[in-house]
Amino acid sequence: MLTIGEVAKSVGINIGAIRFYERKGLLEPAARSEQNNRLYTENELNWLVFIKCLRETGMSVEDIKMYYDKVKEGTSTLPERIQLIQDQKQKLLDDIEEKKNQLVHLEQKLERYYRGENY
């Protein structure tokens, strides 16, 4: 079992985020030690790593909650979960393409400046 501090450090998020995810239902309430400290399993740590990944791709807390609820429902929801992940993947690919286009614009601007142009 891992403490909330150990989990936060391992995942790379703050303790407040873990508590927030618990309040929002993205994480089952933690087991407690005799001193009433939160304790987490390796599976919960792995789930938090995935939550962090989803958040970094721009997925909303509400969509992650929907995904998590479907996980808890069992394998019958696999097609729906696959679709949620595929949709998020496509959004991420679209974002990457947009960032590439923005980078091209910046590079073009720099090239003009390097040639001595003022605009």
Side-chain angles (χ1 to χ4, degrees):
M1 299 292 279
L2 303 163
T3 67
I4 194 168
E6 292 168 330
V7 169
K9 184 176 180 180
S10 179
V11 175
I13 59 177
N14 64 50
I15 291 171
I18 297 171
R19 291 179 181 142
F20 172 78
Y21 294 147
E22 274 190 29
R23 283 193 308 275
K24 291 295 185 178
L26 302 182
L27 188 63
E28 294 299 317
R32 298 288 184 145
S33 69
E34 289 180 10
Q35 296 79 26
N36 203 32
N37 295 321
R38 286 176 167 89
L39 297 173
Y40 298 91
T41 65
E42 195 71 27
N43 284 342
E44 290 164 326
L45 180 137
N46 292 334
W47 172 238
L48 281 165
V49 168
F50 191 56
I51 289 174
K52 180 183 177 192
C53 172
L54 293 175
R55 292 292 295 140
E56 288 174 345
T57 68
M59 185 178 272
S60 69
V61 170
E62 294 77 19
D63 284 347
I64 296 171
K65 172 74 167 104
M66 182 173 44
Y67 177 87
Y68 184 56
D69 289 344
K70 292 189 181 307
V71 168
K72 292 189 293 185
E73 288 176 35
T75 56
S76 65
T77 65
L78 273 174
E80 295 162 88
R81 287 186 270 157
I82 289 169
Q83 189 62 54
L84 282 168
I85 298 300
Q86 284 178 333
D87 290 349
Q88 194 62 31
K89 177 185 172 185
Q90 187 58 53
K91 286 178 190 175
L92 183 58
L93 289 170
D94 293 345
D95 289 347
I96 290 168
E97 195 60 36
E98 184 178 331
K99 294 295 180 192
K100 285 180 181 178
N101 290 333
Q102 293 166 350
L103 183 59
V104 166
H105 282 89
L106 292 175
E107 288 172 343
Q108 290 170 345
K109 178 61 82 173
L110 285 170
E111 286 174 15
R112 287 194 300 269
Y113 285 157
Y114 294 146
R115 288 192 307 262
E117 297 174 16
N118 193 31
Y119 65 94

